[in-house]
Amino acid sequence: MIVPVEEPERPPRAPRRLLWVAGVVAVLVFAAVVTTAVVVLNRVAEPPAPAALPRDTVPVPLGERELCGLRLLMAIGADADMAVAAQVLQDDPKARRVFTETKAQAYERFKKLFADRPEMLKLATPDVLPAAVHLVPVAGTDVEVWANELRRRFPRAEKVDVLDPARIAAQMTTTPPPCPPSGER
């Protein structure tokens, strides 16, 4: 007689499909972790590009504006020469904003700046101060190179100065208020 032998019970085998799904999920999770790491490291390694602010280069009087960002100051002896330079500079692709200041406007601003120093006010007259074109550059412009280019293009300019608020602030004993991205307060 044949006696049936009982085989011990085997645990059920996981279907192959379940193992396949688990493998695919593991690969997808790994890919997501790697992608996230790459994106985060790129943001840390490369600072974000400055936001491109709109260009508005129609020359306007400086008036009561306070320019606080990186800019160029082009001092020109006569109001007429300043007006011509401002009209030419409105087409310069490196210019984001163009501001003008006549000799009389420069004198009025000078009087406000030095109201508490009468000895300075006695020395200045509208004829002594130059007319000026204030230029706010497009983000990413090398202002030193641009200043040299403007010195060659405008030989009547008495001077072309780069006004860098970071350099100026480093020499001050007090910290100026932050400047908005537009470069104006």
Side-chain angles (χ1 to χ4, degrees), residues 129-144:
L129 298 172
V133 177
H134 301 263
L135 300 162
V136 178
V138 170
T141 299
D142 185 335
V143 291
E144 295 293 341

Side-chain angles (χ1 to χ4, degrees), residues 66-152:
E66 180 187 350
L67 300 178
C68 57
L70 184 64
R71 64 194 181 279
L72 275 79
L73 171 67
M74 193 162 78
I76 301 175
D79 288 349
D81 292 336
M82 177 272 301
V84 169
Q87 289 299 318
V88 170
L89 288 166
Q90 78 177 357
D91 295 329
D92 192 317
K94 295 177 188 89
R96 189 177 68 75
R97 299 290 309 265
V98 178
F99 296 102
T100 60
E101 188 173 47
T102 64
K103 292 168 86 59
Q105 292 165 338
Y107 181 64
E108 290 303 314
R109 189 164 55 89
F110 183 86
K111 288 193 310 187
K112 288 178 186 173
L113 285 171
F114 295 101
D116 59 340
R117 305 219 16 225
E119 69 279 3
M120 292 291 289
L121 295 176
K122 288 179 185 175
L123 297 175
T125 64
D127 294 340
V128 174
L129 298 172
V133 177
H134 301 263
L135 300 162
V136 178
V138 170
T141 299
D142 185 335
V143 291
E144 295 293 341
V145 170
W146 191 25
N148 289 331
E149 176 188 319
L150 293 176
R151 289 179 189 109
R152 286 189 301 274

Side-chain angles (χ1 to χ4, degrees), residues 3-23:
V3 178
V5 179
E6 279 189 39
E7 292 184 22
E9 241 183 79
R10 286 186 182 171
R13 290 178 54 184
R16 285 185 174 208
R17 190 177 299 166
L18 182 60
L19 290 174
W20 219 100
V21 168

